[in-house]
Amino acid sequence: MRIDGLCKGFGSGSTRIEVLHDIALEARKGEMLFVVGPSGCGKTTLLTLIAGMLDADKGDIQLFGQSITRMNAAQKTAFRRDNIGFIFQQFNLLPTLTASENAAVPMLIKEAPRKEAVSKAADLLKGMKMGHRLNAFPSQMSGGEQQRVAIARSLVAAPRLLVCDEPTASLDGETGHKVMETLRSTALKDNRCAIVVTHDSRIFRFADRIARMEDGRIKAITSAELSD
């Protein structure tokens, strides 16, 4: 990913609020890039722009050599389907589907055989200590369980880019650790990377680099030392 001169605001006239100011940022293949900073500094807006779910006011975002900011709506939808896995703060699970069915949705959208998709989703959920909840519906799950289903859903189709908004916010320390190990193993595979927005200092050590934001700007980018 390469971002150059990215700006985004909301509203107009005297009520307009500028959220992002001239953002420049790169994410490399095989790395996990964390974006950290205080609430309201623009982290989630940046992530949503990277995912092509908002339009920038100015600047360019290139993903795998393609400018997502120059794509039309249909092109963005197809690009997201084929290349990006999402973990957002709102889990967005479908209420009429079970845990394994919800996690299988990205493969089903790509028209994979249903049995294969649900089986792969179930394997991911079992690795997150959700084997006993495969047939549970969202209304029957805790927030942490729903979070794990959302994470499995983001991984099931083997996306080249993961965009993650507070992926461990609803998880205990042990489960959060296991989830980050899973995310990191995905990010380290050839031609893939992960961009993680988080306030959770417990998981900073999983980052390769940390971009620190403040008032809609990137203030510093530092390398992070990985430890066991």
Side-chain angles (χ1 to χ4, degrees), residues 18-159:
E18 299 297 334
V19 178
L20 297 179
H21 307 270
D22 199 28
I23 297 290
L25 187 64
E26 292 184 1
R28 304 161 183 164
K29 293 177 182 178
E31 83 164 348
M32 186 168 278
L33 173 68
F34 279 29
V35 181
V36 305
S39 296
C41 72
K43 301 186 304 296
T44 297
T45 298
L46 175 60
L47 205 64
T48 309
L49 285 163
I50 291 168
M53 301 180 78
L54 277 179
D55 293 328
D57 296 331
K58 184 181 177 183
D60 188 39
I61 302 170
Q62 293 212 2
L63 302 177
F64 305 106
Q66 298 185 59
S67 174
I68 196 166
T69 49
R70 297 176 187 173
M71 296 178 186
N72 62 35
Q75 290 170 329
K76 287 180 179 179
T77 298
F79 187 86
R80 284 195 299 268
R81 178 197 66 207
D82 294 337
N83 295 283
I84 304 177
F86 305 91
I87 306 171
F88 288 123
Q89 291 187 54
Q90 292 76 30
F91 308 130
N92 297 324
L93 302 183
L94 298 174
T96 58
L97 298 185
T98 66
S100 55
E101 290 169 339
N102 261 292
V105 163
M107 288 187 68
L108 296 174
I109 290 173
K110 290 186 172 185
E111 301 183 350
R114 186 182 185 283
K115 183 176 181 180
E116 174 190 337
V118 173
S119 176
K120 186 173 180 181
D123 287 342
L124 282 168
L125 288 167
K126 289 173 185 176
M128 297 179 190
K129 304 200 301 189
M130 284 282 288
H132 63 301
R133 304 292 276 158
L134 297 181
N135 295 314
F137 293 96
S139 62
Q140 300 170 322
M141 299 181 218
S142 68
E145 288 172 338
Q146 291 185 48
Q147 181 91 330
R148 279 176 269 179
V149 174
I151 290 168
R153 181 182 59 192
S154 77
L155 296 172
V156 72

Side-chain angles (χ1 to χ4, degrees), residues 28 31-36 184 188 198 200-212 220-228:
R28 304 161 183 164
E31 83 164 348
M32 186 168 278
L33 173 68
F34 279 29
V35 181
V36 305
R184 182 160 179 80
L188 287 175
T198 186
D200 189 353
S201 60
R202 298 174 303 174
I203 65 170
F204 283 7
R205 65 191 185 85
F206 286 95
D208 292 292
R209 292 184 300 140
I210 298 176
R212 300 186 184 275
I221 300 174
T222 57
S223 297
E225 291 188 11
L226 298 174
S227 61
D228 296 327

